[in-house]
Amino acid sequence: MKELRLPPLKKSPTTRFWRMDWNQRYLDQDIPWDKDGASPVLQELLRDLPDALPAQGHALVPGCGLGHDAYLLASQGYHCRGIDLSQKALDLAQQRYQHPRLSWQQGDLFRELPEEAVDLIWEYTCYCAIQPLKRAAYVQAMHQTLRPEGILVGIFLLDSGMPPEEGPPFSSPLEELHTEFENHFELVWERWPPHSSPGWERRERLMCWRKKP
Ligand SMILES: C[S@@+](CC[C@H](N)C(=O)[O-])C[C@H]1O[C@@H](n2cnc3c(N)ncnc32)[C@H](O)[C@@H]1O
């Protein structure tokens, strides 16, 4: 198992949070979050709980990193777009994964989401990567890019083991997740993920949200 290490951090001059140079992390191959394969939870959802996800359509993976989950979704029938700030991550993703239904976009999810509405968003380790002050903007951006009644499914980090203002990864207590998402989404279901890396059990929550009209 790869240990989740604290990244080298630069203090932002404008906020009390830490800024991360994501592209540099990929250039340095300093990416302990990468599991070298698709999330086991997404694999299990697709295999065992297909009714939990829209049957087909367009999917988006924000903060897709090296693209493992985006590729899995494309190979399972979705037209999937992976978006990430890091050009290096996307170059590596593109080298490794090609599929006619798969596309990549370099950009900031707060500014450059695809114009075409999607049916499904798969969230994995992106929400915990953004500054907590930007969470409301993240929820709004995801709401905006989903088609009416579209679904966002994701694993959310409840407890990083660090104080809430320290990260990434940033913790999101469960009540705060509800408060943030309930502005724009209704909860379909939530549960403990069937798999967590050792030491992360009961510290992350699998949630399925439907866009409110
Ligand atoms: C912890 S990594 C997780 C990557 C991938 N989901 C995985 O599990 O390997 C967070 C990712 O989010 C991307 N990211 C952070 N802020 C972003 C933003 N505002 N817009 C798009 N991508 C962002 C980073 O470049 C990085 O690839």
Side-chain angles (χ1 to χ4, degrees):
M1 181 197 88
K2 284 181 189 168
E3 279 200 359
L4 199 67
R5 284 181 287 137
L6 285 180
L9 297 167
K10 282 190 254 169
K11 189 91 189 270
S12 156
T14 52
T15 76
R16 67 196 175 99
F17 299 111
W18 302 94
R19 282 199 193 284
M20 169 86 86
D21 185 342
W22 293 104
N23 198 50
Q24 194 59 47
R25 296 295 295 264
Y26 286 98
L27 286 167
D28 295 344
Q29 297 181 29
D30 184 11
I31 49 173
W33 54 83
D34 183 69
K35 301 285 185 295
D36 199 31
S39 152
V41 176
L42 180 60
Q43 295 181 43
E44 193 161 307
L45 279 175
L46 288 162
R47 191 184 57 234
D48 300 339
L49 284 176
D51 293 347
L53 305 175
Q56 277 180 343
H58 289 260
L60 178 74
V61 181
C64 66
L66 298 187
H68 314 297
D69 291 348
Y71 174 71
L72 176 64
L73 286 163
S75 65
Q76 294 295 307
Y78 295 91
H79 291 266
C80 188
R81 167 81 53 100
I83 179 171
D84 204 285
L85 273 182
S86 165
Q87 186 61 54
K88 180 63 182 175
L90 294 178
D91 290 346
L92 293 169
Q94 205 157 14
Q95 276 168 28
R96 180 162 175 178
Y97 297 120
Q98 289 103 34
H99 194 284
R101 287 188 294 270
L102 182 59
S103 61
W104 310 106
Q105 180 179 334
Q106 190 276 326
D108 183 343
L109 67 87
F110 295 107
R111 290 184 295 175
E112 295 157 278
L113 283 171
E115 277 173 25
E116 189 173 6
V118 300
D119 305 276
L120 170 67
I121 292 172
W122 168 247
E123 158 56 51
Y124 184 53
T125 58
C126 182
Y127 190 79
C128 69
I130 61 172
Q131 293 188 8
L133 285 174
K134 289 188 158 180
R135 284 177 180 158
Y138 170 99
V139 174
Q140 270 176 24
M142 296 302 118
H143 181 266
Q144 208 173 315
T145 200
L146 278 169
R147 66 152 171 82
E149 304 211 339
I151 294 286
L152 183 149
V153 185
I155 301 177
F156 295 88
L157 181 62
L158 305 183
D159 175 15
S160 70
M162 296 186 281
E165 69 277 11
E166 277 182 35
F170 294 103
S171 309
S172 324
L174 193 56
E175 317 78 64
E176 278 182 37
L177 279 166
H178 277 266
T179 307
E180 209 67 82
F181 274 85
E182 280 165 7
N183 290 323
H184 296 287
F185 290 84
E186 60 190 10
L187 184 68
V188 185
W189 49 261
E190 65 173 294
R191 62 187 66 162
W192 299 113
H195 305 283
S196 289
S197 300
W200 292 92
E201 300 87 354
R202 303 272 165 149
R203 295 169 67 185
E204 45 188 22
R205 192 78 168 156
L206 178 60
M207 304 177 100
C208 176
W209 295 95
R210 182 183 294 116
K211 171 175 172 157
K212 281 184 187 169

